[in-house]
Structures are given as C-alpha cells and as structure tokens.
Amino acid sequence: MSDGAIAVAVVRDPSDAVASAGPGGWAVSELQSALEMRGATVRAVGSVRETADADAVVVVAGTGSAAAQTVARAGGVTLPTEAESLALVSGTLEGRTVLLAAGADPRGVVYAVLELADRLRNGADVGAALSAPSAIVERPANPIRGVTKLQVSDVEDLPWFHDREGWERYLTMLATQRFNRIHLAFGIGHDFLRNVLDAYLLFPYPFLIDVPGENVRAIRTSDGTPLPDEERAKNLDTLRFISDEAARRGLHFQLGIWTQQYQWTESPNASYITEGLSEANHATYCRDALRRILEACPGIAGVTLRVHGESGVPEGNYDFWRIVFKGIVACGRPVELDLHPKGVDREMIDVGLETGLQINVSPKYTAEHLGLPGHQAAIRPTESAPRRLDGDHFVQGLMNRSHFDLSYTRYGYADFLEEGRTFGVYYRIWPGTQRILLWGSPAFAAGYGRHGTIGGSLGVELMEPLSFKGRRGSGLPGGRNAYADERLKPERDWEKFTYTFRLFGRLLYNPDADAETWQRQLRAEFGAAAGAVETALAQASRILPLITTAHHPSAANNRFWPEVYTNMPILERDRPHPYRDTVFPRRFGTVSPHDPVTFSSIEDFADGVVAGRSDGRYSPLRVADWLQASAEAALAALAQAEQAVGDASTVPFRQVAVDVRIVAGLGQFFADKLRAGVGYALFKRTGARDSLEEAVQAYRAARDAWAGVVEHGKAYRDDITVGGEAWLRGQWADRIQAIEDDLGDMEAELAATPASDGSAVHRPLATLDPLPPAVTYAHTPPSSFRRGAAVAVALTARTADGSPLTGRLHYRHLNQAESWEAVGLEADGSTLRATIPGAYTDAPYSLLYLFELHAADGRAWRYPGLDDSLATAPYAIVRQG
C-alpha cells in the first residue's frame, strides 16, 4: 500500500518543552513509520524554515507555544489547555501551509500525532491523513482511562509477560486509542488463599526481588528447589522493561499487588510456597520488597493494593498497611496509591492519606461484571445486608468488615462519593460477563465515558478481554483465545479485541467522538461490509450486559458466567447450580436484578400481575423483548455483512460471525427463558394451565436457541477455562443437559396438570406489560443545590389524549448504603411537582431522583428511564453547589 513519493516534513521545535518531551518524540517516530509504510519520505526538522517547498508540513507543538497560537489565531480556533487535550488545525505558519498537531501536555501531543498515524494505518491516503478541513479540538471526559492486564496463570500468561515485542505493540495500541494507563496485576489468580494450585507470582515479591537481610524464597513444591536467581532477575527485568516502555509512550504504569499473604491454607497441590517469612517480619518484608521494586523500576507511577481480606490480611489490620505503605513513600518519588476498596472504611483511607501520596479508591462498576453503563440505581439486598458465612471461620476471620457492617462496599461506589472528599474515586469493570467473545457497542462505550465521572469520579479502568483465562490453576496450553480451529487464532491473543479496545479508549476519552474514529478500522478490515459489521457487533454487544443488569444470579465473576451460562432451574427441584448469592429458594424466578430499582424480578412481576399493580420497573418480559430484538437485529446485520464482505473466510470476519451468532443465540435463549420463568410463576399463583403451556413452549424455544449456540460454539475448544470449578470450565455443549433436565421437569408437571376448567384466569404473556402511553416530557434538573435547602423538582408530562397522570418522586443520596425515599407528586395541570426536604439534603452527598408515573388505565413507568440505547442513567443527578 503506497501513495507514491510524497515528501513530509515533521517540525518539532526543540525549545518547545511540551512537544520535545520524550513521549512526543516516540509518537513522531510512529507517525514516521506509518508515513513510510505509505511510501512517503519523511524528515524530522526543528523549524518550518528547514522545510522544503515541496514538503507537506506537520507542526508538532504544545498548545501554549507561539507556533501553535499563531496557526490557531489565523483560523479562529481556541486551543485547549486541559491536561491531555489535543488539537488538529490546518493553517499557515511562516508562509507555509501546515497541519498543526498540538497537545496541552506531552500526553496530548502523543494523542494528536498518533491520530495521524492511525488514519494512515487504517487506509487514509497521506493527503487525507495530514489534513483537518475543520479544526478538531478534543478534551478528555475522564481523567483515568485504564486497562488492567492480569497475570493469573503460569501456563497461559508467562509467555505474554515475557514477550517484549508483544508489549511494544500492545502499549502502542493503548496509547493510540487514548488510554492513559496500564495496570499490570499480580496476585489475583486466587481470591481466598486456600485450595491454591498455580502459585507463580501469587505472592509476587519473591518472584521479583531479593531483599537483603531477608532469606525469603519462592520454593517449587515439585522438587523443593528455590526459584533460580536468574529467573527472578528475568521477571524483574521484564517488569522494568514494561513500565519503562509504558512511560516512553506517555502511559501511566500501575503495579497491582493483589496478594500480601505468604501462606496457603489447605493447599497440598500448590505449585510454589514461600519460605523465610513469619508474622514477625511479614509486614516489614512486604514494605522493603515493594520499595526495592519501585526503586528498580522507575517507570512505575502507581501501586494498586487489594486491602480487604482476600489479600490474605484480615480487614481492620491498619498497622500492617501503615508499614507496607511506608515502602511506597520511601522509593524517592511520588507514586499514586490505589486501594481496591471492598471492606474499606474511612480509617483505612486515612491510613493511606497519612502517606501524603495521591490516594484513589477503585470500586467495581457493575459488581464483577460488564453491565449497562448507567450506575445501578440501587444495590441488591444481598449486597447491602451482612452475608451468611455458614460457619466458614476462615473467611469470617478475613472478611470481618466487607461481609458484615461494610457489606455495601463490595460491588459499587458505596458511600465513597462524599462531596469535598480528599481522595479520588474511579471504577474498574470486572470480567465476569464477556471474556472470550467479541464485544463492540459504541453507544455503551460512550455511556461508560459519560458515567465514569459520576459525583466527581475520575473515570474507568477496564479489565481486558480474556481476563481470568486460566485462573485458579486451570491454565491449559494452546492459546488464550481457546479456538479449536487454529486458523482463527490471532498472532497475539489481544489482537482479536482491537475494536473493543478502540471503542473503550476513544469513547472514554470523548463520548461524543466522531464515528470516523472507530469506523476507519472496520472499513480497513471489512470494506463494504463495515457498516453491517458495526451494527451486528453493536446489537450483539447489548445482550450480555443487559442480562447481567436485569437478571443477576451472582455478583461474583467466579459464579455467574452468562457467556457460557450454567443453567439455573426454573422449577423447585434439587438440581445443582453455583448461584449461592441468590435468595432462597435459589431458583430462576427468585433471582434479583443487579439494579432492583430499575428492573423487577420474575417473582415480583408475577406478584404484581396477580395483584393488579405495577410500580413502573422494567419487567422480565420487557427485557425479553429487548434481548430478542437485539438478537434478531444482530443476525440480520450479519447476513447483510456476509453478502457485502466479498470474502467471508477471512480470519477477522469469521471471528465476528462466530461470536455474533453465539451471542445472538444467548440473547434468544435468555429471552425465551425469562418468558418461561414468568409463565411458570403465574401458573404457580393462579393454577392456569394455559400459563404453564406458555411456559413450556417458551422453554422449548430457549432449549432450541441453546442448541444453536452449541453448534456455533464448535469453533472453540471443548474446555474454555476461566477457573477451576466445573461451571468455569467446559463450554456450551456441556450445559445443554441441565437445560433439558429442567425442561423435562416442567413438561412432566404440564402432563400431570388437568385441563383447565375455566376457573383459573389466564392472561397471555404478550398482554402483561403494555408499553407506556405516548407522553411529551419537559424537565430540567436543578443545576445544583445548597446543602440543607429544599430542592423542588417539576416534570411537565402531556399525554396524547390529555388524560392526567399521577405518581411519586423517588430520591436518594449518591450513597448506595442508603435506601430510596419517596413522596407523592402534586399535579398542577400537566405539571407534576414534588420537593425533597431540606432536612434530607443536609448531608455530604449529591442527590439522585426519578419519577414513577401512573396512567388512569393502570399502566406505570418511570422517567427518565432508559432510552433506546440502554446506555443512559435511569435517574437524574443534582450536585451540591
């Protein structure tokens, strides 16, 4: 691919401190490489005066430089000054036509220059790539836009850990897509340190560093030999290389140490143990080892520590953490300290603040899953109440806060979003929902970009696809993508997911980014089929996050894996399943939504149908319709793509086709199973045999949809391993028997149920959740409020026929530890009003609120609710002024 001999001069003034910083020089080398790939000749010069008349000229500059200001003023452009902002402006400088690629700081310069390189690598000719007919000015919506890469398996992860060329390409990709940090996490291969198998880098210090005066060694249990010094040195040298290469690209490198304990409980088959530590030197060794790692790796800019009981240190042990934190302080440079905050109270945060370092806490966004982008309006009762431990003294001793009085901190922003807080908060998206299948929804990625700063939060960190692959000793050779067909394997496992990375990185940076920024990759890969591929992936990628949010049998990623779902029985039978954090009786109908304020469970909905009431939450039947619509739209778009692509046998297209068909099948399966669950719940309440017949019919359709998933799933190996337990291994073919068994139970109950005698009223499922009436809304949330002052809100809602509406206002502090309050709405014509009392606003939190509306015919719904994208927040937020 060549555009011929085009001469390009890249101007970077050595006196411009922003442009001449190291990351800018690296980015210019990437641009030069991309230009040369297109046949251009490239010269790097220090001023416009050094360019030739025939040169196309790119001026790389800081936005505050004289050159940048000259170009911008001539074009009437105001250059941005915010950190990491960028501008691309065509104009003139010293009589030459130039393209200005400017950044407010070195990272902004990197983004501006890599934008040009990305255009070239995705097919733009040199002239088009080096032009900006309309000025482009962008600012980051989220200060933190990160990716977490997990080391959990010696078999599956050590190859990529030591793959230096792979790291260079991976880090370049992250910088190109405008991520600004990479978090490499060690010690997360197990949560509780019992039944440990793969222990390589689990307690990571002795695998990375020698601490003088401490004879601490990692011992291989197979032969009792210590980890060789050469291997330990290689591991540290690799860590130094990765962190240095991240810094060279302007990326913040975050070192994650998720395990601090050196002893494994009930673990006779652990691959390594640690010798040389005792309670007496445990904390000081961790302190000194961490300090020495930071000294040896100057590219490390931050440290993430899991400080709850799964670290192996009992919660509330503040003295231990005070000692460990001193190792970070002693490294001789400022280092960010990030606390993974399950079970974290204000005293633990204060221990961090005592260090004088920048302290962040990083709660989970949607439990341990990928859900809808709007933060849940409420956490589940099972998250807000103390947990049952059933005599598990091992866990009870470690999790003495997060399982009890601080249970509400486990799966969301909890009570961390106080106004005026002295620590930062950002969110980590955990990998429970979608790990191996392609994901690509621009609307959802933009939704995460918009909601990552809720309550003044700092942004989002994504645990990358394939996270936890091979976890808990389940690693297998043969590649992390788990393809049975070797032809589908990319050269490096992450390369399958470049579109996922592109969407998250670009849209966390700018949720309103031009679609060209992601469509260029699709055009380069799929040509005329690009639009259809985009639609197919976008529709399919709504399915699993919607399931996760609306039907949530377990918040734990190591229990609920909707991508390769283990069936939960609809009937009350003693059939095994892994979902222990569902309320009793643990069956499909009792499963709570992840967001129980926005969605209703099957049981709640059935109770409302029988009682003739509705509170406006989205029902399982509405969710089923959404799932089915997305599945059908995804398959229709895929069919269009197959007609347009030209060559459907290419690896990228086959990867898309296989995964879209699997996810669409899952969407149809869950849609029909939700309908079956509702039908069965109504049968149990009314005795109407027709309801049971509908349930059986829907469950058979769900079974058939799963059979289709099994067929498409043959592209993957028989054992896709993301953990040690049976429900985290195998694949779709292993799950169909449990579906057949539960369906068989329902069919047997139908056969034993007499024909209807007319006494039980049957209401067809399709009639149970009618859409709201057509309403025109007008509502402007208050711009802010003063603490202790009443907050008045008003909603104008006009129905098409002029009929009146009634309802309630629901409100809550931006604090998930609290329950929602409600007050009736007062009607003033078509305007509904309510007031949140000043006594309630006298708290250090912003406010959430939503309207529950009722029509005269009994229909109920909520405003603002979710829009058609499903990527909005179903409530309004008002910040304190």
Side-chain angles (χ1 to χ4, degrees), residues 527-607:
V533 169
E534 179 183 1
T535 300
L537 281 171
Q539 289 291 334
S541 298
R542 293 159 51 103
I543 288 171
L544 293 179
L546 174 58
I547 293 165
T548 293
T549 305
H551 180 85
H552 203 71
S554 179
N557 77 86
N558 58 7
R559 294 280 167 178
F560 181 38
W561 184 18
E563 199 176 47
V564 186
Y565 172 68
T566 295
N567 198 59
M568 190 177 199
I570 295 177
L571 276 68
E572 292 188 49
R573 299 286 191 271
D574 188 23
R575 296 199 178 279
H577 63 77
Y579 309 116
R580 63 187 184 188
D581 59 324
T582 287
V583 297
F584 288 99
R586 292 173 175 157
R587 52 180 173 77
F588 192 74
T590 64
V591 169
S592 168
H594 178 67
D595 182 349
V597 161
T598 304
F599 296 89
S600 66
S601 70
I602 289 172
E603 297 286 306
D604 284 349
F605 177 68
D607 286 342

Side-chain angles (χ1 to χ4, degrees), residues 77 88-90 99 119 131-137:
V77 177
L88 295 172
V89 184
S90 293
L99 173 66
R119 294 176 180 182
S131 67
S134 298
I136 297 171
V137 176

Side-chain angles (χ1 to χ4, degrees), residues 317-532:
N317 191 342
Y318 307 113
D319 289 340
F320 175 88
W321 294 110
R322 275 193 178 91
I323 293 170
V324 173
F325 293 170
K326 289 178 180 177
I328 303 174
V329 175
C331 78
R333 65 180 185 277
V335 173
E336 176 194 306
L337 175 55
D338 164 40
L339 308 178
H340 177 59
K342 181 163 75 171
V344 166
D345 58 12
R346 289 307 185 273
E347 186 172 355
M348 184 73 247
I349 294 173
D350 287 343
V351 170
L353 291 170
E354 290 171 7
T355 65
L357 303 172
Q358 167 64 41
I359 302 300
N360 290 331
V361 299
S362 49
K364 298 167 182 173
Y365 201 118
T366 312
E368 294 181 357
H369 296 275
L370 176 71
L372 300 185
H375 295 265
Q376 70 255 41
I379 57 177
R380 303 187 308 164
T382 50
E383 267 73 79
S384 60
R387 297 188 69 193
R388 293 179 55 189
L389 292 178
D390 299 324
D392 191 335
H393 300 296
F394 175 78
V395 174
Q396 182 171 315
L398 291 169
M399 315 294 283
N400 55 73
R401 302 299 305 279
S402 58
H403 278 13
F404 294 94
D405 58 315
L406 294 178
S407 178
Y408 62 85
T409 64
R410 295 168 59 226
Y411 295 130
Y413 57 74
D415 60 353
F416 297 126
L417 296 183
E418 289 184 8
E419 298 287 354
R421 58 189 177 271
T422 55
F423 56 92
V425 177
Y426 67 98
Y427 303 96
R428 188 168 291 117
I429 299 175
W430 279 58
T433 299
Q434 206 151 336
R435 313 183 204 220
I436 64 168
L437 301 177
L438 281 167
W439 185 94
S441 167
F444 275 30
Y448 278 105
R450 294 189 177 95
H451 304 308
T453 54
I454 184 173
S457 300
L458 298 176
V460 178
E461 186 172 283
L462 171 72
M463 283 187 169
E464 66 169 7
L466 303 179
S467 288
F468 291 155
K469 184 73 177 64
R471 193 179 188 223
R472 293 183 173 182
S474 66
L476 295 173
R480 298 174 76 219
N481 287 116
Y483 282 121
D485 185 346
E486 292 289 316
R487 293 171 295 179
L488 291 177
K489 290 176 60 175
E491 182 180 357
R492 289 179 172 86
D493 54 60
W494 58 268
E495 291 173 334
K496 171 182 174 179
F497 302 98
T498 53
Y499 185 61
T500 301
F501 285 113
R502 178 178 291 268
L503 290 180
F504 268 106
R506 295 290 180 131
L507 292 165
L508 288 175
Y509 182 87
N510 179 8
D512 298 314
D514 192 312
E516 160 63 20
T517 63
W518 63 83
Q519 291 173 348
R520 66 176 70 131
Q521 177 182 340
L522 297 177
R523 286 197 304 272
E525 290 185 341
F526 304 112

